[in-house]
Amino acid sequence: MTHDAALSYAHPPALSQADEEALTDLYIRGTPANTLRAYERDLIYVTAWKRAVYDQDLTWPESDVVALRFVLDHARDLGDANQQDPARAAAEGLIRQGLRKTLACPAPATLDRRIASWRAFHRMRNLDSPFDAPILRQARAKARRAAARAPAPKSEHPITREVLNAMLATCGYSLRDLRDSALLMLGWASGGRRRSEITGLRREDVSLKDFESEGLVWITILETKTTAKGKTPRLVLKGRAARSLVHWINMAEIIDGPLFRPISKSDNPLDRALSPDAVYQIVKRRLQLAGYDEGFASPHGLRSGFLTQAALDGAPLQAAMRLSLHRSMAQAQKYYDDVDVADNPATDLLG
């Protein structure tokens, strides 16, 4: 390899403005919507952090010094820092902007995600990322180990069948009630769907061809967090979950477009799709109406509750995973382990 070729290999050629825009557009079209939202939130945070620390906008590529400072500032508890500490002052500014909750050391997963987003924006521009430098890799590894903690559950409690039934009992006969009932049952009974998967469903993704004869409703999800676009297997609803969904479709007269929609004050469905945050609000409201604290569970409780109930009912793990679409058996097994350990006879040895 010639010297010039070696330099070219070490430093990717700069893209033209047109190529940069085309590459960015390709990333946007080829990246799941929820990932794009995470990218956007992280870019806002990183931009605000650099302005607070350096009073400068982001540069592309970013310098190793700035990247290292970002890791170091997010690898310690700033509540213990001196009031004049620049990192603490920056963090307090981010708290005032609503971009950070506390001065506590962020979870390693949060730091990793923000760095991953920052790196992704470098890739979009065909630029080397400063986080690939050996000193940054080592600093990240040390930060991850120093801040290691038990992962917090995404939902405080699983929404098991008992909890779900209590939530469904709060649903009456208005269109809003019918929608909430169908949404909760689909989200739970189809394997514990994520919010973005629920709100991304369209009427065209629901097949009723076997409903009259067999009571089955087939659902096609374009993509999930663990499956590629167009590679997600069809899911099935049966029993009251299938009947609830069909009733919602018929009563709301949904012929095409978004499956789950906002309801107007006059109890009419709107044309647009529900947002993922609306699913959070529905779960929160139904829990409160059922007598639970609003923080009892989050929408992820539909997912954890499905797997927990499958374990309680003795359903094989592989059967539950065919609906939940977990890619990792070890991850899905955790829900079964939490149930099995309570029935382990060794826990009764003391009497």
Side-chain angles (χ1 to χ4, degrees):
M1 182 181 293
T2 66
H3 178 70
D4 289 344
L7 285 176
S8 175
Y9 182 80
H11 302 282
L15 297 177
S16 68
Q17 182 67 29
D19 287 341
E20 198 171 297
E21 292 174 357
L23 187 59
T24 299
D25 177 66
L26 181 62
Y27 266 86
I28 291 173
R29 289 187 287 111
T31 304
N34 55 336
T35 302
L36 287 175
R37 284 192 292 271
Y39 281 170
E40 182 180 18
R41 290 194 300 269
D42 292 336
L43 185 63
I44 290 172
Y45 180 89
V46 171
T47 300
W49 170 84
K50 187 175 180 184
R51 285 175 181 163
V53 174
Y54 292 98
D55 195 24
Q56 297 174 1
D57 290 330
L58 295 178
T59 57
W60 305 99
E62 193 54 82
S63 72
D64 293 359
V65 173
V66 172
L68 181 59
R69 175 73 179 273
F70 183 80
V71 172
L72 296 177
D73 282 5
H74 293 80
R76 58 193 175 109
D77 189 338
L78 295 174
D80 298 330
N82 187 286
Q83 290 285 348
Q84 284 69 47
D85 189 310
R88 174 169 181 154
E92 289 173 340
L94 294 171
I95 291 173
R96 287 193 294 272
Q97 295 178 59
L99 298 176
R100 181 168 176 160
K101 293 182 179 179
T102 70
L103 293 173
C105 180
T110 301
L111 177 59
D112 285 346
R113 193 200 67 235
R114 285 173 177 156
I115 290 175
S117 297
W118 207 345
R119 294 182 66 187
F121 281 103
H122 278 80
R123 290 196 299 271
M124 288 182 194
R125 293 165 170 79
N126 197 34
L127 298 172
D128 291 331
S129 164
F131 294 101
D132 293 330
I135 190 173
L136 265 298
R137 290 182 177 179
Q138 187 176 38
R140 287 183 64 193
K142 297 294 185 182
R144 196 177 297 116
R145 187 166 185 174
R149 65 186 75 171
K154 295 180 180 179
S155 178
E156 186 69 23
H157 298 93
I159 297 177
T160 56
R161 186 167 51 231
E162 179 183 359
V163 178
L164 180 65
N165 282 335
M167 296 168 71
L168 294 174
T170 69
C171 298
Y173 301 98
S174 69
L175 273 185
R176 188 183 304 275
D177 290 332
L178 297 181
R179 180 204 62 190
D180 290 1
S181 178
L183 184 151
L184 291 170
M185 281 202 255
L186 180 147
W188 196 93
S190 64
R193 303 271 56 88
R194 300 176 180 87
R195 289 186 293 171
S196 59
E197 295 166 6
I198 295 173
T199 56
L201 282 171
R202 298 178 62 82
R203 175 62 183 85
E204 303 90 287
D205 301 326
V206 178
S207 172
L208 305 182
K209 64 183 182 66
D210 294 328
F211 180 69
E212 292 297 332
S213 59
E214 302 178 53
L216 302 179
V217 172
W218 295 95
I219 299 172
T220 301
I221 296 177
L222 182 62
E223 64 182 324
T224 71
K225 188 177 179 180
T226 56
T227 59
K229 187 175 291 186
K231 300 295 184 181
T232 305
R234 286 199 308 168
L235 302 173
V236 66
L237 286 182
K238 57 174 64 173
R240 60 180 179 144
R243 293 192 296 272
S244 178
L245 181 61
V246 172
H247 191 45
W248 155 249
I249 289 173
N250 291 337
M251 296 303 292
E253 299 180 347
I254 298 177
I255 300 174
D256 55 23
L259 183 61
F260 294 114
R261 311 170 179 214
I263 303 296
S264 69
K265 291 182 179 180
S266 57
D267 205 38
N268 291 310
L270 303 180
D271 291 335
R272 67 177 187 273
L274 280 178
S275 68
D277 184 64
V279 178
Y280 172 83
Q281 297 299 332
I282 289 170
V283 170
K284 173 181 171 182
R285 178 169 181 265
R286 293 300 169 182
L287 282 170
Q288 287 180 303
L289 291 174
Y292 293 92
D293 182 81
E294 67 175 55
F296 179 84
S298 72
H300 192 268
L302 296 171
R303 187 164 177 79
S304 59
F306 170 81
L307 284 164
T308 300
Q309 194 64 55
L312 289 169
D313 291 356
L317 175 62
Q318 292 84 350
M321 287 179 64
R322 287 190 67 182
L323 288 179
S324 70
L325 302 178
H326 271 86
R327 182 165 49 193
S328 166
M329 180 172 288
Q331 187 178 27
Q333 180 70 47
K334 292 178 183 178
Y335 299 102
Y336 275 62
D337 290 344
D338 288 345
V339 171
D340 293 342
V341 72
D343 296 326
N344 188 330
T347 61
D348 295 319
L349 291 180
L350 184 61

